[in-house]
mmCIF file of all heavy atoms in Angstrom:
data_model
loop_
_atom_site.group_PDB
_atom_site.id
_atom_site.type_symbol
_atom_site.label_atom_id
_atom_site.label_comp_id
_atom_site.label_asym_id
_atom_site.label_seq_id
_atom_site.Cartn_x
_atom_site.Cartn_y
_atom_site.Cartn_z
ATOM 1 N N PRO A 66 96.386 105.357 100.973
ATOM 2 C CA PRO A 66 95.373 106.425 100.568
ATOM 3 C C PRO A 66 94.266 106.502 101.565
ATOM 4 O O PRO A 66 93.697 107.698 101.723
ATOM 5 C CB PRO A 66 94.896 105.663 99.330
ATOM 6 C CG PRO A 66 96.229 104.851 98.857
ATOM 7 C CD PRO A 66 96.718 104.491 100.047
ATOM 8 N N SER A 67 93.798 105.552 102.281
ATOM 9 C CA SER A 67 92.769 105.707 103.313
ATOM 10 C C SER A 67 93.137 106.689 104.381
ATOM 11 O O SER A 67 92.292 107.252 105.084
ATOM 12 C CB SER A 67 92.334 104.351 103.816
ATOM 13 O OG SER A 67 93.467 103.743 104.491
ATOM 14 N N GLU A 68 94.429 106.901 104.608
ATOM 15 C CA GLU A 68 94.876 107.866 105.700
ATOM 16 C C GLU A 68 94.918 109.324 105.351
ATOM 17 O O GLU A 68 95.003 110.208 106.000
ATOM 18 C CB GLU A 68 96.322 107.519 106.155
ATOM 19 C CG GLU A 68 96.355 106.161 106.778
ATOM 20 C CD GLU A 68 97.761 105.630 106.952
ATOM 21 O OE1 GLU A 68 98.784 106.168 106.498
ATOM 22 O OE2 GLU A 68 98.013 104.587 107.662
ATOM 23 N N THR A 69 94.553 109.663 103.946
ATOM 24 C CA THR A 69 94.552 110.851 103.455
ATOM 25 C C THR A 69 93.290 111.624 103.880
ATOM 26 O O THR A 69 93.362 112.836 103.835
ATOM 27 C CB THR A 69 94.746 110.922 102.010
ATOM 28 O OG1 THR A 69 93.694 110.364 101.330
ATOM 29 C CG2 THR A 69 96.085 110.274 101.493
ATOM 30 N N GLY A 70 92.201 110.937 104.127
ATOM 31 C CA GLY A 70 90.995 111.491 104.273
ATOM 32 C C GLY A 70 90.254 112.047 103.021
ATOM 33 O O GLY A 70 89.342 112.664 103.060
ATOM 34 N N VAL A 71 91.024 111.820 101.874
ATOM 35 C CA VAL A 71 90.496 112.236 100.562
ATOM 36 C C VAL A 71 90.091 111.116 99.615
ATOM 37 O O VAL A 71 89.146 111.214 98.928
ATOM 38 C CB VAL A 71 91.565 113.303 99.936
ATOM 39 C CG1 VAL A 71 91.057 113.745 98.675
ATOM 40 C CG2 VAL A 71 91.819 114.339 100.988
ATOM 41 N N VAL A 72 90.760 110.159 99.733
ATOM 42 C CA VAL A 72 90.618 109.022 98.633
ATOM 43 C C VAL A 72 89.747 107.988 99.142
ATOM 44 O O VAL A 72 90.081 107.376 100.084
ATOM 45 C CB VAL A 72 92.044 108.436 98.358
ATOM 46 C CG1 VAL A 72 91.869 107.366 97.166
ATOM 47 C CG2 VAL A 72 93.062 109.467 97.917
ATOM 48 N N PRO A 73 88.664 107.740 98.444
ATOM 49 C CA PRO A 73 87.627 106.855 98.793
ATOM 50 C C PRO A 73 87.967 105.289 98.476
ATOM 51 O O PRO A 73 88.731 105.283 97.382
ATOM 52 C CB PRO A 73 86.476 107.297 98.075
ATOM 53 C CG PRO A 73 86.817 107.875 96.880
ATOM 54 C CD PRO A 73 88.057 108.626 97.209
ATOM 55 N N TYR A 74 87.799 104.450 99.155
ATOM 56 C CA TYR A 74 87.987 102.995 98.728
ATOM 57 C C TYR A 74 86.952 102.761 97.706
ATOM 58 O O TYR A 74 85.755 102.860 97.931
ATOM 59 C CB TYR A 74 87.942 102.126 99.948
ATOM 60 C CG TYR A 74 88.108 100.659 99.614
ATOM 61 C CD1 TYR A 74 89.468 100.226 99.317
ATOM 62 C CD2 TYR A 74 87.173 99.701 99.551
ATOM 63 C CE1 TYR A 74 89.705 98.861 99.073
ATOM 64 C CE2 TYR A 74 87.347 98.378 99.429
ATOM 65 C CZ TYR A 74 88.641 97.927 99.147
ATOM 66 O OH TYR A 74 88.887 96.532 98.795
ATOM 67 N N ASP A 75 87.417 102.608 96.446
ATOM 68 C CA ASP A 75 86.364 102.499 95.335
ATOM 69 C C ASP A 75 86.873 101.407 94.259
ATOM 70 O O ASP A 75 87.782 101.618 93.461
ATOM 71 C CB ASP A 75 86.127 103.856 94.589
ATOM 72 C CG ASP A 75 85.170 103.814 93.652
ATOM 73 O OD1 ASP A 75 84.797 102.829 93.122
ATOM 74 O OD2 ASP A 75 84.609 104.929 93.216
ATOM 75 N N LEU A 76 86.436 100.198 94.429
ATOM 76 C CA LEU A 76 86.978 99.176 93.600
ATOM 77 C C LEU A 76 86.580 99.279 92.203
ATOM 78 O O LEU A 76 87.330 98.883 91.323
ATOM 79 C CB LEU A 76 86.638 97.760 94.042
ATOM 80 C CG LEU A 76 87.162 97.347 95.387
ATOM 81 C CD1 LEU A 76 86.862 95.916 95.834
ATOM 82 C CD2 LEU A 76 88.727 97.426 95.431
ATOM 83 N N VAL A 77 85.503 100.060 91.837
ATOM 84 C CA VAL A 77 85.124 100.254 90.484
ATOM 85 C C VAL A 77 86.094 101.151 89.793
ATOM 86 O O VAL A 77 86.691 100.990 88.794
ATOM 87 C CB VAL A 77 83.738 100.940 90.308
ATOM 88 C CG1 VAL A 77 83.467 101.349 88.952
ATOM 89 C CG2 VAL A 77 82.674 99.961 90.807
ATOM 90 N N GLN A 78 86.459 102.310 90.614
ATOM 91 C CA GLN A 78 87.554 103.172 90.030
ATOM 92 C C GLN A 78 88.875 102.483 89.882
ATOM 93 O O GLN A 78 89.566 102.613 88.906
ATOM 94 C CB GLN A 78 87.604 104.396 90.923
ATOM 95 C CG GLN A 78 86.596 105.390 90.831
ATOM 96 C CD GLN A 78 86.668 106.248 89.563
ATOM 97 O OE1 GLN A 78 87.518 106.175 88.670
ATOM 98 N NE2 GLN A 78 85.883 107.205 89.465
ATOM 99 N N ALA A 79 89.256 101.653 90.803
ATOM 100 C CA ALA A 79 90.509 101.042 90.936
ATOM 101 C C ALA A 79 90.606 100.074 89.817
ATOM 102 O O ALA A 79 91.669 100.120 88.945
ATOM 103 C CB ALA A 79 90.657 100.232 92.221
ATOM 104 N N LEU A 80 89.515 99.209 89.454
ATOM 105 C CA LEU A 80 89.526 98.274 88.356
ATOM 106 C C LEU A 80 89.564 99.017 87.084
ATOM 107 O O LEU A 80 90.363 98.709 86.136
ATOM 108 C CB LEU A 80 88.335 97.418 88.475
ATOM 109 C CG LEU A 80 88.321 96.372 87.374
ATOM 110 C CD1 LEU A 80 89.547 95.443 87.493
ATOM 111 C CD2 LEU A 80 87.002 95.495 87.422
ATOM 112 N N SER A 81 88.928 100.124 86.939
ATOM 113 C CA SER A 81 89.029 100.814 85.685
ATOM 114 C C SER A 81 90.422 101.363 85.314
ATOM 115 O O SER A 81 91.007 101.226 84.196
ATOM 116 C CB SER A 81 88.004 102.024 85.646
ATOM 117 O OG SER A 81 88.314 102.990 86.626
ATOM 118 N N TRP A 82 91.182 101.905 86.304
ATOM 119 C CA TRP A 82 92.534 102.297 85.978
ATOM 120 C C TRP A 82 93.427 101.194 85.894
ATOM 121 O O TRP A 82 94.353 101.203 85.001
ATOM 122 C CB TRP A 82 92.901 103.316 87.113
ATOM 123 C CG TRP A 82 92.228 104.616 87.214
ATOM 124 C CD1 TRP A 82 91.324 105.071 87.938
ATOM 125 C CD2 TRP A 82 92.414 105.618 86.092
ATOM 126 N NE1 TRP A 82 90.861 106.308 87.575
ATOM 127 C CE2 TRP A 82 91.540 106.715 86.450
ATOM 128 C CE3 TRP A 82 93.166 105.782 84.966
ATOM 129 C CZ2 TRP A 82 91.253 107.724 85.731
ATOM 130 C CZ3 TRP A 82 92.961 106.893 84.194
ATOM 131 C CH2 TRP A 82 92.094 107.862 84.622
ATOM 132 N N TYR A 83 93.311 100.143 86.637
ATOM 133 C CA TYR A 83 94.143 98.956 86.245
ATOM 134 C C TYR A 83 93.919 98.334 84.962
ATOM 135 O O TYR A 83 94.790 97.942 84.282
ATOM 136 C CB TYR A 83 93.807 97.778 87.404
ATOM 137 C CG TYR A 83 94.397 98.041 88.741
ATOM 138 C CD1 TYR A 83 93.719 97.757 89.900
ATOM 139 C CD2 TYR A 83 95.741 98.505 88.909
ATOM 140 C CE1 TYR A 83 94.335 97.918 91.277
ATOM 141 C CE2 TYR A 83 96.248 98.728 90.095
ATOM 142 C CZ TYR A 83 95.551 98.384 91.308
ATOM 143 O OH TYR A 83 96.154 98.648 92.443
ATOM 144 N N ILE A 84 92.656 98.297 84.541
ATOM 145 C CA ILE A 84 92.385 97.890 83.027
ATOM 146 C C ILE A 84 93.052 98.824 82.110
ATOM 147 O O ILE A 84 93.768 98.251 81.125
ATOM 148 C CB ILE A 84 90.780 97.859 82.722
ATOM 149 C CG1 ILE A 84 90.129 96.916 83.528
ATOM 150 C CG2 ILE A 84 90.692 97.813 81.310
ATOM 151 C CD1 ILE A 84 88.639 96.848 83.429
ATOM 152 N N ILE A 85 93.051 100.061 82.259
ATOM 153 C CA ILE A 85 93.735 101.021 81.339
ATOM 154 C C ILE A 85 95.296 100.785 81.497
ATOM 155 O O ILE A 85 95.891 100.488 80.391
ATOM 156 C CB ILE A 85 93.427 102.408 81.682
ATOM 157 C CG1 ILE A 85 91.997 102.749 81.217
ATOM 158 C CG2 ILE A 85 94.488 103.379 81.064
ATOM 159 C CD1 ILE A 85 91.462 104.102 81.685
ATOM 160 N N ALA A 86 95.823 100.537 82.584
ATOM 161 C CA ALA A 86 97.306 100.167 82.734
ATOM 162 C C ALA A 86 97.628 98.779 82.196
ATOM 163 O O ALA A 86 98.591 98.674 81.561
ATOM 164 C CB ALA A 86 97.799 100.253 84.110
ATOM 165 N N ALA A 87 96.790 97.760 82.521
ATOM 166 C CA ALA A 87 97.109 96.455 82.082
ATOM 167 C C ALA A 87 97.083 96.232 80.568
ATOM 168 O O ALA A 87 97.700 95.391 80.158
ATOM 169 C CB ALA A 87 96.146 95.494 82.865
ATOM 170 N N THR A 88 96.337 97.184 80.057
ATOM 171 C CA THR A 88 96.200 96.833 78.472
ATOM 172 C C THR A 88 96.976 97.993 77.631
ATOM 173 O O THR A 88 97.028 98.043 76.527
ATOM 174 C CB THR A 88 94.728 97.154 77.991
ATOM 175 O OG1 THR A 88 94.186 98.315 78.410
ATOM 176 C CG2 THR A 88 93.822 96.062 78.652
ATOM 177 N N HIS A 89 97.954 98.434 78.345
ATOM 178 C CA HIS A 89 98.767 99.565 77.795
ATOM 179 C C HIS A 89 99.688 99.007 76.811
ATOM 180 O O HIS A 89 100.263 97.981 77.048
ATOM 181 C CB HIS A 89 99.569 100.131 78.892
ATOM 182 C CG HIS A 89 100.499 101.433 78.313
ATOM 183 N ND1 HIS A 89 99.919 102.700 78.091
ATOM 184 C CD2 HIS A 89 101.789 101.450 77.928
ATOM 185 C CE1 HIS A 89 100.978 103.419 77.670
ATOM 186 N NE2 HIS A 89 102.121 102.713 77.583
ATOM 187 N N ASN A 90 99.630 99.478 75.574
ATOM 188 C CA ASN A 90 100.499 98.958 74.422
ATOM 189 C C ASN A 90 101.639 100.011 74.156
ATOM 190 O O ASN A 90 101.405 101.050 73.600
ATOM 191 C CB ASN A 90 99.647 98.765 73.203
ATOM 192 C CG ASN A 90 100.423 98.045 72.074
ATOM 193 O OD1 ASN A 90 101.777 98.076 72.090
ATOM 194 N ND2 ASN A 90 99.876 97.628 71.049
ATOM 195 N N PHE A 91 102.861 99.773 74.698
ATOM 196 C CA PHE A 91 103.904 100.648 74.578
ATOM 197 C C PHE A 91 104.177 101.002 73.152
ATOM 198 O O PHE A 91 104.533 102.273 72.963
ATOM 199 C CB PHE A 91 105.186 100.172 75.293
ATOM 200 C CG PHE A 91 104.966 99.856 76.647
ATOM 201 C CD1 PHE A 91 104.754 98.634 77.078
ATOM 202 C CD2 PHE A 91 105.101 100.952 77.541
ATOM 203 C CE1 PHE A 91 104.629 98.542 78.614
ATOM 204 C CE2 PHE A 91 104.964 100.761 78.941
ATOM 205 C CZ PHE A 91 104.672 99.480 79.488
ATOM 206 N N ALA A 92 103.923 100.263 72.157
ATOM 207 C CA ALA A 92 104.310 100.562 70.736
ATOM 208 C C ALA A 92 103.399 101.613 70.327
ATOM 209 O O ALA A 92 103.793 102.430 69.392
ATOM 210 C CB ALA A 92 104.226 99.371 69.954
ATOM 211 N N ASP A 93 102.294 101.738 70.820
ATOM 212 C CA ASP A 93 101.268 102.761 70.408
ATOM 213 C C ASP A 93 101.620 104.191 70.868
ATOM 214 O O ASP A 93 101.100 105.214 70.391
ATOM 215 C CB ASP A 93 99.744 102.454 70.964
ATOM 216 C CG ASP A 93 99.195 101.326 70.134
ATOM 217 O OD1 ASP A 93 99.644 101.022 69.104
ATOM 218 O OD2 ASP A 93 98.173 100.779 70.674
ATOM 219 N N TYR A 94 102.451 104.380 71.952
ATOM 220 C CA TYR A 94 102.571 105.458 72.467
ATOM 221 C C TYR A 94 104.092 106.214 72.309
ATOM 222 O O TYR A 94 104.140 107.400 72.543
ATOM 223 C CB TYR A 94 102.417 105.393 74.140
ATOM 224 C CG TYR A 94 101.083 105.378 74.522
ATOM 225 C CD1 TYR A 94 100.458 104.137 74.632
ATOM 226 C CD2 TYR A 94 100.208 106.518 74.670
ATOM 227 C CE1 TYR A 94 99.077 104.088 74.980
ATOM 228 C CE2 TYR A 94 98.975 106.510 75.038
ATOM 229 C CZ TYR A 94 98.339 105.295 75.121
ATOM 230 O OH TYR A 94 97.026 105.183 75.537
ATOM 231 N N GLN A 95 104.931 105.401 72.068
ATOM 232 C CA GLN A 95 106.305 105.970 72.034
ATOM 233 C C GLN A 95 107.209 105.330 71.143
ATOM 234 O O GLN A 95 107.079 104.170 70.680
ATOM 235 C CB GLN A 95 106.926 105.903 73.455
ATOM 236 C CG GLN A 95 106.931 104.579 74.053
ATOM 237 C CD GLN A 95 106.996 104.509 75.531
ATOM 238 O OE1 GLN A 95 106.520 105.423 76.206
ATOM 239 N NE2 GLN A 95 107.359 103.427 76.017
ATOM 240 N N GLN A 96 108.283 106.000 70.777
ATOM 241 C CA GLN A 96 109.337 105.552 69.864
ATOM 242 C C GLN A 96 110.507 104.881 70.541
ATOM 243 O O GLN A 96 111.569 104.853 69.952
ATOM 244 C CB GLN A 96 109.677 106.566 68.853
ATOM 245 C CG GLN A 96 108.560 107.076 68.002
ATOM 246 C CD GLN A 96 107.819 106.053 67.310
ATOM 247 O OE1 GLN A 96 108.565 105.156 66.569
ATOM 248 N NE2 GLN A 96 106.580 106.022 67.131
ATOM 249 N N ARG A 97 110.387 104.708 71.794
ATOM 250 C CA ARG A 97 111.494 104.203 72.644
ATOM 251 C C ARG A 97 111.136 102.863 73.434
ATOM 252 O O ARG A 97 109.988 102.584 73.461
ATOM 253 C CB ARG A 97 111.929 105.268 73.610
ATOM 254 C CG ARG A 97 110.982 105.657 74.713
ATOM 255 C CD ARG A 97 111.440 106.489 75.755
ATOM 256 N NE ARG A 97 110.460 106.972 76.739
ATOM 257 C CZ ARG A 97 109.878 106.261 77.647
ATOM 258 N NH1 ARG A 97 110.351 105.097 77.818
ATOM 259 N NH2 ARG A 97 109.018 106.776 78.315
ATOM 260 N N SER A 98 112.073 102.270 73.769
ATOM 261 C CA SER A 98 111.831 101.108 74.646
ATOM 262 C C SER A 98 111.302 101.501 76.001
ATOM 263 O O SER A 98 111.729 102.577 76.597
ATOM 264 C CB SER A 98 113.142 100.271 74.982
ATOM 265 O OG SER A 98 113.604 99.766 73.768
ATOM 266 N N PRO A 99 110.273 100.784 76.546
ATOM 267 C CA PRO A 99 109.657 101.089 77.861
ATOM 268 C C PRO A 99 110.677 101.052 78.905
ATOM 269 O O PRO A 99 111.583 100.170 78.892
ATOM 270 C CB PRO A 99 108.542 100.277 78.095
ATOM 271 C CG PRO A 99 108.750 99.161 77.096
ATOM 272 C CD PRO A 99 109.635 99.527 76.037
ATOM 273 N N LEU A 100 110.615 101.857 79.909
ATOM 274 C CA LEU A 100 111.526 101.753 81.097
ATOM 275 C C LEU A 100 111.049 100.648 82.061
ATOM 276 O O LEU A 100 109.817 100.261 82.013
ATOM 277 C CB LEU A 100 111.444 103.107 81.994
ATOM 278 C CG LEU A 100 111.835 104.268 81.230
ATOM 279 C CD1 LEU A 100 111.460 105.633 82.004
ATOM 280 C CD2 LEU A 100 113.341 104.272 80.847
ATOM 281 N N PRO A 101 111.937 100.133 82.830
ATOM 282 C CA PRO A 101 111.581 98.972 83.787
ATOM 283 C C PRO A 101 110.338 99.323 84.685
ATOM 284 O O PRO A 101 109.454 98.554 84.826
ATOM 285 C CB PRO A 101 112.782 98.748 84.584
ATOM 286 C CG PRO A 101 113.986 99.131 83.655
ATOM 287 C CD PRO A 101 113.472 100.291 82.890
ATOM 288 N N ALA A 102 110.451 100.543 85.200
ATOM 289 C CA ALA A 102 109.262 101.057 86.065
ATOM 290 C C ALA A 102 107.851 100.910 85.306
ATOM 291 O O ALA A 102 106.767 100.672 85.766
ATOM 292 C CB ALA A 102 109.505 102.346 86.526
ATOM 293 N N GLU A 103 107.927 101.313 83.903
ATOM 294 C CA GLU A 103 106.705 101.245 83.097
ATOM 295 C C GLU A 103 106.247 99.714 82.808
ATOM 296 O O GLU A 103 105.007 99.554 83.024
ATOM 297 C CB GLU A 103 106.978 101.942 81.829
ATOM 298 C CG GLU A 103 107.213 103.470 82.013
ATOM 299 C CD GLU A 103 107.780 104.191 80.716
ATOM 300 O OE1 GLU A 103 108.466 103.420 79.874
ATOM 301 O OE2 GLU A 103 107.424 105.367 80.572
ATOM 302 N N LEU A 104 107.158 98.885 82.586
ATOM 303 C CA LEU A 104 106.849 97.560 82.438
ATOM 304 C C LEU A 104 106.230 96.888 83.757
ATOM 305 O O LEU A 104 105.259 96.198 83.661
ATOM 306 C CB LEU A 104 108.118 96.756 81.901
ATOM 307 C CG LEU A 104 108.666 97.006 80.523
ATOM 308 C CD1 LEU A 104 109.935 96.338 80.369
ATOM 309 C CD2 LEU A 104 107.462 96.529 79.537
ATOM 310 N N ALA A 105 106.898 97.258 84.772
ATOM 311 C CA ALA A 105 106.353 96.812 86.056
ATOM 312 C C ALA A 105 105.012 97.261 86.431
ATOM 313 O O ALA A 105 104.203 96.504 86.966
ATOM 314 C CB ALA A 105 107.411 97.206 87.199
ATOM 315 N N ALA A 106 104.731 98.564 86.073
ATOM 316 C CA ALA A 106 103.418 99.168 86.266
ATOM 317 C C ALA A 106 102.359 98.304 85.419
ATOM 318 O O ALA A 106 101.268 97.945 85.960
ATOM 319 C CB ALA A 106 103.283 100.560 85.975
ATOM 320 N N ARG A 107 102.625 97.949 84.160
ATOM 321 C CA ARG A 107 101.721 97.257 83.507
ATOM 322 C C ARG A 107 101.593 95.751 84.054
ATOM 323 O O ARG A 107 100.438 95.235 84.208
ATOM 324 C CB ARG A 107 102.167 97.030 82.043
ATOM 325 C CG ARG A 107 101.105 96.272 81.240
ATOM 326 C CD ARG A 107 101.456 96.335 79.689
ATOM 327 N NE ARG A 107 102.581 95.523 79.472
ATOM 328 C CZ ARG A 107 103.118 95.438 78.331
ATOM 329 N NH1 ARG A 107 102.592 95.993 77.220
ATOM 330 N NH2 ARG A 107 104.213 94.607 78.155
ATOM 331 N N THR A 108 102.501 95.109 84.479
ATOM 332 C CA THR A 108 102.532 93.798 85.011
ATOM 333 C C THR A 108 101.914 93.761 86.366
ATOM 334 O O THR A 108 101.063 92.889 86.610
ATOM 335 C CB THR A 108 104.049 93.273 85.255
ATOM 336 O OG1 THR A 108 104.793 93.326 83.973
ATOM 337 C CG2 THR A 108 103.922 91.920 85.854
ATOM 338 N N VAL A 109 102.165 94.782 87.250
ATOM 339 C CA VAL A 109 101.464 94.833 88.555
ATOM 340 C C VAL A 109 99.926 94.929 88.241
ATOM 341 O O VAL A 109 99.039 94.301 88.961
ATOM 342 C CB VAL A 109 101.819 95.932 89.364
ATOM 343 C CG1 VAL A 109 100.983 96.324 90.491
ATOM 344 C CG2 VAL A 109 103.349 95.621 89.938
#
Side-chain angles (χ1 to χ4, degrees):
S67 59
E68 296 169 352
T69 66
V71 177
V72 181
Y74 181 73
D75 185 340
L76 293 182
V77 169
Q78 285 284 5
L80 184 61
S81 65
W82 289 110
Y83 282 142
I84 288 170
I85 289 171
T88 59
H89 185 85
N90 184 346
F91 293 103
D93 287 346
Y94 284 94
Q95 55 206 21
Q96 301 300 318
R97 62 173 174 80
S98 296
L100 300 172
E103 293 168 328
L104 291 169
R107 184 175 67 182
T108 302
V109 165

